[in-house]
Structure formats: structure tokens, C-alpha cells
């Protein structure tokens, strides 16, 4: 099996030594289990650890530069979040995204985002400008070929629309979809790189409808955009 990670990060003593030499207090690293958790979670969301891949405690401990005890703690946490499944004495299996999960996420997104975009008209102050900034960021990231950043900004674009509704409970509900959205977004872009330009064009359509105060057009643009991603994830469109 291939190594579980790129080269291990620098020893924890390095930044502390540098800070001490510069006359500054040493930087405090996050706890070991938190570092393992962040490492594995990011790798799963960005598909560096693909669905179906088996990760071992030893490989992860070496990758992050920790003992096996914090690795076990981090993996238990990730299992609760539904990203992996633990098999005693074997390792942690990265769970593929299921068709049921895709359908559930898209259905929830449509309910939340279509409601939010209806409430975005009349347009709150600063919303059009912020959406325009995110659209520009996506174009730059796409040009650089950074799929993980494109997916993160894509998700931020939609989350900004949801926050503009002013409904804090709805916003918190939507935030719970974050990890699944990022993972699915990266999956679509890897499988369908031509989709990146189309996503950006569809975001521009949503922005134009919101800026024009056209509620019906904005709702239709959101429905078409999110629905097309659903079809791609289910393999119904190539």
C-alpha cells in the first residue's frame, strides 16, 4: 500500500527553537491527537486518502510524527463523524460517499439554499460585492489548478447566500453539511474537470439574478446548479 501521507512535518522542537533564538516565547503546537485528526480529515476531504483506502495507525503516526495513542484517539473521532470505519488490528477504512448520502445532502441543500435565495431579495448590503469577490477567487484558483481551494470557495459562495437569510438556525444547519460538501465538490472536479468552468458560470448566473433582484431567476439558477452536481455525483451525466 502507498504511504499514508507526504513527508512528515518538521519536528515540534523546530519552531520553538527558532522562536527562542529570536527572543520570542516558543509557539505552542496543538495536541498530538488534534494534529492527527486535522491531517487525516483534510486528506479525506481533499481525496488524498480516497474512499476505500485502508489507513494504518503506524503509517499515520509516522506521517504526523506522533505515537500511536493519539492516532487511535483521532480515528475514533473521525469514525463518529462518518468519514472512516475502524477495523481492529487492521486499520481505518476511508468510507466512500454513498448514493444515499449524496441524495440526502443535495435534498437538504436545495431546501436551505432555495429558501435563502428567496430571502436574499431585496439584497442585503454588501452581499453582491462579497459574492463577486468569491467568484473572482474561484476564477483565480481554477486558473492555478487548485481543486481543493476551488471547492472550498465554491462552498463559501453558497454559505454566504445562506447567511444572508439572517436565519441563524438555518445557517448552523447548513454549516453541518460543510465537510460532505467539500468532499463531494472535490470528487466532482477530479472526475469532471470541465465542470469547474461550468460551476463558475452558474455562480455568475446566480449572482446576476440576485443583483437584479429577480427572485424567481435566482431560485431557478440555484436549483439548476445544485441539481446538476447531484446528477454528476450519481454518474448520470458525463
Amino acid at each position: 500500500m502507498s504511504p499514508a501521507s507526504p513527508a512528515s512535518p518538521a519536528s515540534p522542537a523546530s519552531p520553538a527553537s527558532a522562536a527562542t533564538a529570536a527572543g520570542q516565547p516558543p509557539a505552542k503546537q496543538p495536541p498530538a491527537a488534534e494534529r492527527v485528526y486535522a491531517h487525516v480529515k483534510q486528506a479525506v476531504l481533499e481525496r488524498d486518502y480516497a474512499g476505500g483506502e485502508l489507513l494504518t495507525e503506524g503509517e499515520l503516526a509516522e506521517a504526523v510524527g506522533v505515537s500511536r495513542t493519539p492516532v487511535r484517539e483521532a480515528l475514533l473521532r473521525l469514525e463518529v463523524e462518518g468519514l472512516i470505519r475502524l477495523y481492529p488490528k487492521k486499520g481505518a477504512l476511508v468510507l466512500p460517499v454513498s448514493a444515499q448520502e449524496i441524495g440526502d445532502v443535495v435534498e437538504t441543500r436545495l431546501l436551505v439554499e432555495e429558501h435563502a435565495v428567496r430571502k436574499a431579495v431585496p439584497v442585503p448590503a454588501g452581499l453582491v460585492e462579497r459574492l463577486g469577490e468569491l467568484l473572482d477567487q474561484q476564477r483565480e484558483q481554477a486558473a492555478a489548478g487548485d481543486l481543493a481551494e476551488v471547492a472550498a470557495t465554491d462552498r463559501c459562495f453558497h454559505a454566504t447566500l445562506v447567511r444572508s437569510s439572517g436565519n441563524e438556525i438555518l445557517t448552523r444547519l447548513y454549516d453541518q453539511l460543510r465537510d460532505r460538501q467539500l468532499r463531494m465538490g472535490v470528487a466532482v472536479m477530479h472526475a469532471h474537470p470541465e465542470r469547474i468552468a461550468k460551476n463558475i458560470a452558474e455562480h455568475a448566473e446566480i449572482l446576476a439574478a440576485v443583483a437584479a433582484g429577480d427572485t424567481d431567476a435566482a431560485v431557478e439558477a440555484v436549483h439548476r446548479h445544485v441539481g446538476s452536481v447531484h446528477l454528476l455525483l450519481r454518474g448520470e451525466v458525463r
Side-chain angles (χ1 to χ4, degrees), residues 3-89:
S5 126
S8 299
S11 165
S14 299
S17 301
T20 302
Q24 300 173 353
K28 186 177 179 180
Q29 280 199 326
E34 186 65 32
R35 299 203 309 274
V36 177
Y37 169 83
H39 168 83
V40 177
K41 184 168 187 173
Q42 180 177 1
V44 170
L45 295 182
E46 296 183 1
R47 288 174 59 86
D48 292 328
Y49 295 157
E53 184 172 351
L54 188 67
L55 311 175
T56 68
E57 289 181 2
E59 289 171 334
L60 294 174
E62 182 179 356
V64 185
V66 299
S67 69
R68 293 192 180 199
T69 300
V71 171
R72 294 189 195 105
E73 183 180 335
L75 292 178
L76 285 169
R77 186 175 166 190
L78 290 161
E79 185 175 44
V80 170
E81 294 183 9
L83 292 177
I84 65 168
R85 180 173 296 146
L86 293 175
Y87 290 93
K89 299 183 180 179

Side-chain angles (χ1 to χ4, degrees), residues 8-180:
S8 299
S11 165
S14 299
S17 301
T20 302
Q24 300 173 353
K28 186 177 179 180
Q29 280 199 326
E34 186 65 32
R35 299 203 309 274
V36 177
Y37 169 83
H39 168 83
V40 177
K41 184 168 187 173
Q42 180 177 1
V44 170
L45 295 182
E46 296 183 1
R47 288 174 59 86
D48 292 328
Y49 295 157
E53 184 172 351
L54 188 67
L55 311 175
T56 68
E57 289 181 2
E59 289 171 334
L60 294 174
E62 182 179 356
V64 185
V66 299
S67 69
R68 293 192 180 199
T69 300
V71 171
R72 294 189 195 105
E73 183 180 335
L75 292 178
L76 285 169
R77 186 175 166 190
L78 290 161
E79 185 175 44
V80 170
E81 294 183 9
L83 292 177
I84 65 168
R85 180 173 296 146
L86 293 175
Y87 290 93
K89 299 183 180 179
K90 291 184 179 180
L93 180 71
V94 179
L95 292 176
V97 179
S98 68
Q100 179 67 45
E101 183 179 4
I102 291 168
D104 290 348
V105 168
V106 170
E107 183 178 14
T108 306
R109 284 190 61 188
L110 286 171
L111 288 169
V112 173
E113 292 186 38
E114 288 181 12
H115 173 77
V117 83
R118 286 189 180 96
K119 296 204 58 170
V121 179
V123 183
L127 176 61
V128 171
E129 291 76 9
R130 178 56 181 153
L131 293 176
E133 290 170 1
L134 291 168
L135 197 55
D136 289 341
Q137 283 181 30
Q138 266 199 296
R139 291 186 177 111
E140 292 170 5
Q141 292 157 351
D146 192 336
L147 300 188
E149 287 300 315
V150 171
T153 304
D154 183 304
R155 198 268 167 192
C156 190
F157 181 95
H158 290 271
T160 298
L161 273 172
V162 173
R163 281 195 300 273
S164 74
S165 70
N167 187 322
E168 294 184 7
I169 294 176
L170 202 64
T171 298
R172 286 198 295 271
L173 170 65
Y174 191 78
D175 285 344
Q176 292 174 18
L177 299 177
R178 176 185 178 277
D179 292 344
R180 290 178 171 86

